Amino acid sequence: DGGITQSPKYLFRKEGQNVTLSCEQNLNHDAMYWYRQDPGQGLRLIYYSQIVNDFQKGDIAEGYSVSREKKESFPLTVTSAQKNPTAFYLCASSTSGYTDTQYFGPGTRLTVL
Amino acid sequence: DAKTTQPPSMDCAEGRAANLPCNHSTISGNEYVYWYRQIHSQGPQYIIHGLKNNETNEMASLIITEDRKSSTLILPHATLRDTAVYYCIVRVVRNAGNMLTFGGGTRLMVKP
């Protein structure tokens, strides 16, 4: 089955620790995205990547880092510099055309204790 | 960036049509209107999109006004499984990117 997978679904970390969230897609999509969602809020863009080995900051990139070494993978690291890391993190992908539809993974809920 | 305005919540009776409005009065000529929905604690699901013509697919219909300043998503026969937050989004192009800007959405509650 084609799709986007995120792991794990729930993640707990102690304050001050870096944590990496996984996102994998087998849709052969060029573009991938990371969003953050806080309770009762819409999604906010953290980082996006249009092509392998290239990525751009979104609206709330501070305290986060990404890499795009493979087309299929776009891991997100939440660093200790992120002041309020507890949130629901969503990964998405799309082909690179102007009117492309983004398809989302199931999300990872990160709780920092 | 064109912004959207949606009512925060709506109710609909099961089996009836759900009509979800969206205002996007500052939309540009080359910006598309997208609709997604998000069931609690899941990733958003694409529903439909359009530029200026009305669109229909197996999930819903999208009606865009002639001046493109507003649109309506129609779920023709709402079921309990359609209970979700519905997001109306206007596409933003940034550095040839494919951005989506999500607002607060409309929380649709389908009731028996």
Side-chain angles (χ1 to χ4, degrees), chain B residues 15-18 58-61 74-78:
Chain B
R16 303 297 293 268
E58 64 279 5
M59 290 183 68
S61 294
I74 301 172
L75 307 178
H77 305 286

Side-chain angles (χ1 to χ4, degrees), chain B residues 41-91:
Chain B
S41 294
Q42 297 182 21
Q45 177 189 22
Y46 165 78
I47 301 173
I48 199 167
H49 74 281
L51 182 62
K52 55 183 179 181
N53 296 323
N54 298 337
E55 303 288 344
T56 296
N57 63 19
E58 64 279 5
M59 290 183 68
S61 294
L62 174 61
I63 308 299
I64 303 175
T65 58
E66 190 169 347
D67 63 8
R68 301 211 323 124
K69 293 185 177 182
S70 65
S71 60
T72 300
L73 178 75
I74 301 172
L75 307 178
H77 305 286
T79 70
L80 299 179
R81 288 177 294 180
D82 291 322
T83 292
V85 178
Y86 287 77
Y87 294 100
C88 169
I89 300 159
V90 173
R91 284 288 302 279

